[in-house]
Amino acid sequence: MTALKVTLVEPLDQFVQDQVASGAYPDADAVVSAGLRLLETGADDEAEKMRRFLSRVRTGLDQLDRGDGVEVTDLNAWFDALEAKALGR
């Protein structure tokens, strides 16, 4: 494991100290490691969301290429119809 020196701004430094003082973590390294794990998980979640989004965009573009699109000339009416359908009207 590589040693890494990190300088924190005062509010974050105090937060780390408070976490250690509360007994939630044994030391500052554990607090920083927990924070980095959360950041990593969040980044993984965002990457997965982007992958799903791009997949759906690709599906939609493929449908348009096949001529399966719907032409909307009145956006408000279209949204009203979608809402009515969603509400079972």
Side-chain angles (χ1 to χ4, degrees):
M1 188 180 326
T2 303
L4 178 66
K5 181 180 178 182
V6 177
T7 303
L8 300 174
V9 295
E10 178 53 36
L12 291 177
D13 183 54
Q14 187 59 55
F15 176 76
V16 170
Q17 291 177 40
D18 292 346
Q19 293 300 302
V20 174
S22 75
Y25 297 91
D27 54 37
D29 289 343
V31 177
V32 172
S33 292
L36 290 172
R37 281 191 295 279
L38 285 173
L39 182 61
E40 181 180 39
T41 299
D44 290 346
D45 291 347
E46 288 302 313
E48 176 59 18
K49 285 179 190 176
M50 182 57 75
R51 187 200 62 73
R52 287 193 325 261
F53 171 74
L54 292 175
S55 173
R56 289 178 178 152
V57 167
R58 173 52 39 210
T59 297
L61 292 174
D62 290 344
Q63 290 170 338
L64 288 174
D65 287 344
R66 290 192 308 269
D68 294 340
V70 175
E71 184 176 340
V72 176
T73 56
D74 183 344
L75 195 55
N76 286 329
W78 187 71
F79 278 127
D80 289 344
L82 281 178
E83 181 179 33
K85 184 177 179 181
L87 296 175
R89 294 188 219 153

